[in-house]
Every structure is written in C-alpha cells, then in structure tokens.
Amino acid sequence: MRKIALALAAASLALPALAAPPKQRDVERARQARDQAQATVRALTAEAAALTERFHELGARADRAAARVVDAYRAELELEGQMAEARTTLNERASAAYRIGPAAMVSVFLGSDSPADFLASQELIEHAIYGDIREATEILERSEEATARRAQVERERQKLLLRHRQLQELRAQIEDRLVRAESAAKAAGLRLAAVQEARKRFLAEQQAQEEAVRLIGGVDQSELLKLLGPNGGRGCEIPPRLRNTGRTISGTASWYGWDFAGRPTATGATYDPRLFTAAHKTLPLNSFIRVRWNGRCAILLVNDRGPFHDDWILDLSQAAARYLGYERSGTAEVTADLLARR
C-alpha cells in the first residue's frame, strides 16, 4: 500500500514537467501560424510571379496581334484612298467629255489645215479627256480585294479581342493572388517586401502592355463617335447627347485626308479620313463642334491638333470637308459652334 502511494505522489510531481507551460504553448502556436503564413505568402507570391510571366508572354502576342490589325487597317485605308481618287478621276473625265461634246471635234476639223493636223488635235483632246480612265477603272474593279481586306481586318481584330480577354482573366488572377498574399502577410506581421516586389513587376508588365496596345492599336474612340448621332455627324441638328454652349469660333478651315490615314491623332486614336473628326490648336481633345458653311452643317469630334498654319483655325477630315462642300477648294471660311456633352 505504501509503495502505491509513493508511486502516485511521484506521478503527480512529474505531470507539470511533462505538460508545457501556457506561455510556451502560445509561443509555439504563434510560431506555427507564422511559418504557415510565410509558406502561404511564398506560395501565393510564386503563383503571382508565374502568372505575371504568362501575362508578359500573352501581352507580347497581343502586341503582335495589334500590329497586324493596324497593318491590315492601313492596307484597307490605302485601297480606299485609291478607289476614292479613281472615282474622282472618272467623274472629272465624264464631266469634261460632257462639256466638250461632239461640237468640239467639228470645230477642230474645220480649223485643221490637213487630216494630219486634225488627227493630232483629236489625239490631244482625247488624251486630255480620257487619260487615266483605264487605270481608274482597274482600281475600281478591285472591289473584291477591298472586301477581302476588310474581312482580314475583322479577323485580326477578333484575335486581338481574344488576347485582351485572356489578359483580363490573367490580370484578375494575379490581383487575387497578390491581395491574398498581402492579407496573409499583414495578419502574421510579416514584411511585405516580396509581395510588393511582385506587385511592382506586375504593374510594370501591365503598363507596358497597355502602352504598347495604345501606341500600336490606337485608342478606341467608338463611344465618342456615337455621340455624333445616328447620321455620323451629318446635319445641323445637334445630337441628343450634346448641347450648344452658345460659344462660337470663326475662321479658315482646311482638311487632311488619305496621306495621314492610319497615323495616330493627338488622342492616340488612329486617323480615318472617312470619319467626322477635326483638329484644333487649343480646344480640349475629345470635345465636339458643329461646323457651318454655305448652309450645311457637320458635327465633329476634335481628336487632333492643328492646322499648323497661323491663320487657319480648323483642319477637318476629308469626309467632313467633302460633305460640307469645300473639298475641291481646299479651304473655306467657316463658323463653328462649341458643343458639350449633356
């Protein structure tokens, strides 16, 4: 009996030594939580780094896709310009032939001293009237090529849109990993240097990719162009989403056309002479104006700087100048109403 009592006493004395003190248990749990948090932060940061590398690769593909879109678009614009010039040539030659008429040949015949003189004069007249017609007709016959180029632009644009969607998905995944890593680090009182470095690299990749697309592919101005109204800026009626400020400017307006097609405007958007846009030296970019000349009006988006001539105030797109009616004269004295978004 005495032996049993001694054994129990010894066991009771040994128990406190076997169990860790409360403070030591807290320290151990804190250490384990810290180690786990460090492992979580490392894993999430590594995932973010791998996704950022994938983002870089996909961004490079998007850059190439954007370049192909612009190349196809410029090729289309170039052919459009050639076809527009061909139409103008045919119209001018047809007008000249109509004005001269058969009476011109009779007059030449009566005024010729010999058949050779008549034939020479006839050849000169026909060359003046019908010159360049064959070349212009051949260009207009390339309408199938124009359709093919338009289809190529659309195909390349769809590829670019796919790349952008993939980039957006990757961007969301990277942001998720970084936010979770930051939260885990802060909760455990860890330094955020690794997470901050990962975020810095991701932001640099994102900025580089967006800058490349902006420079190569051009800024999207489709939403702004919708504000010109259902007629694309044709007419004097102010579109519903714009209003007249009551301020006007007056002076000489010029125009610029296909020679500048495909180049970036001051806003970064690609210049298209078929759209109703304009350049001004100081008006806010992406503002709107209503240009009035000779009883006609055009609503335009100001997306560029110019004209670079001291006495001129506006440089309109070729389509707008043609619609107003001063394309052939080159310049016109216009009045422009300054508009604002409602």
Side-chain angles (χ1 to χ4, degrees):
M1 193 73 178
R2 185 177 176 184
K3 291 180 179 180
I4 295 174
L6 289 172
L8 291 174
S12 63
L13 291 172
L15 282 175
L18 294 175
K23 287 185 178 180
Q24 185 177 345
R25 289 197 300 270
D26 292 341
V27 170
E28 181 64 21
R29 281 195 295 267
R31 185 184 65 78
Q32 291 176 354
R34 183 182 178 85
D35 291 344
Q36 184 176 359
Q38 286 178 332
T40 300
V41 171
R42 282 196 296 268
L44 290 171
T45 305
E47 286 184 36
L51 289 171
T52 300
E53 185 64 28
R54 171 65 177 158
F55 187 86
H56 172 75
E57 296 173 359
L58 195 57
R61 294 182 187 178
D63 294 346
R64 292 192 291 270
R68 288 195 298 270
V69 169
V70 173
D71 289 342
Y73 179 65
R74 285 176 175 166
E76 181 202 7
L77 289 181
E78 181 180 355
L79 182 56
E80 282 276 354
Q82 293 174 0
M83 296 181 76
E85 291 177 0
R87 293 188 192 97
T88 301
T89 298
L90 290 177
N91 290 335
E92 290 175 348
R93 298 301 183 269
S95 177
Y98 175 79
R99 288 196 304 270
I100 292 176
M105 292 303 178
V106 175
S107 176
V108 170
F109 176 75
L110 295 176
S112 300
D113 295 330
S114 66
D117 291 340
F118 169 70
L119 291 175
S121 300
Q122 182 185 16
E123 184 178 350
L124 287 173
I125 291 175
E126 289 181 348
H127 179 75
I129 296 175
Y130 301 112
D132 300 330
I133 285 183
R134 179 180 298 176
E135 182 181 352
T137 303
E138 290 175 354
I139 291 174
L140 290 178
E141 288 174 351
R142 294 163 64 186
S143 58
E144 292 184 1
E145 182 183 346
T147 303
R149 290 191 177 183
R150 162 51 45 185
Q152 178 68 16
V153 171
E154 290 304 320
R155 285 195 298 271
E156 296 298 344
R157 184 175 286 124
Q158 290 304 317
K159 292 179 184 178
L160 180 58
L161 290 175
L162 174 62
R163 299 298 183 200
H164 282 176
R165 284 195 295 270
Q166 293 172 334
L167 284 169
Q168 289 172 354
E169 293 172 2
L170 271 180
R171 185 181 293 116
Q173 293 178 36
I174 295 170
E175 282 292 348
D176 172 70
R177 302 304 190 276
L178 291 175
V179 168
R180 287 164 55 189
E182 287 175 349
S183 299
K186 288 179 180 178
L190 302 175
R191 293 178 61 188
L192 296 175
V195 182
Q196 290 172 345
E197 183 62 29
R199 178 174 291 282
K200 181 180 178 181
R201 185 187 170 204
F202 166 61
L203 290 176
E205 289 289 349
Q206 181 178 348
Q207 183 178 0
Q209 192 272 329
E210 291 176 350
E211 180 69 10
V213 171
R214 185 187 72 81
L215 292 176
I216 298 175
V219 170
D220 182 12
Q221 59 180 0
S222 56
E223 293 301 317
L224 291 168
L225 292 171
K226 288 180 182 178
L227 298 179
L228 299 180
N231 297 324
R234 294 164 179 80
C236 292
E237 185 176 353
I238 297 178
R241 296 169 65 184
L242 299 177
R243 62 178 177 83
N244 195 342
T245 64
R247 294 180 291 146
T248 63
I249 56 175
S250 298
T252 303
S254 53
W255 64 267
Y256 60 128
W258 292 99
D259 290 343
F260 297 87
R263 299 184 186 180
T265 61
T267 62
T270 302
Y271 175 66
D272 186 339
R274 299 170 297 183
L275 303 176
F276 273 36
T277 58
H280 188 273
K281 295 183 182 72
T282 58
L283 282 177
L285 292 173
N286 293 330
S287 60
F288 297 86
I289 55 176
R290 178 176 61 182
V291 178
R292 294 182 277 124
W293 184 76
N294 204 23
R296 305 196 79 173
C297 306
I299 314 295
L300 300 108
L301 168 67
V302 178
N303 69 349
D304 209 356
R305 289 302 182 208
F308 301 105
H309 188 288
D310 292 342
D311 299 329
W312 297 352
I313 63 166
L314 287 168
D315 211 2
L316 272 56
S317 66
Q318 185 173 1
R322 178 179 299 167
Y323 175 75
L324 289 173
Y326 74 86
E327 178 187 10
R328 292 199 176 192
S329 62
T331 59
E333 297 301 314
V334 303
T335 298
D337 304 308
L338 306 187
L339 309 179
R341 284 184 253 189
R342 290 188 180 278

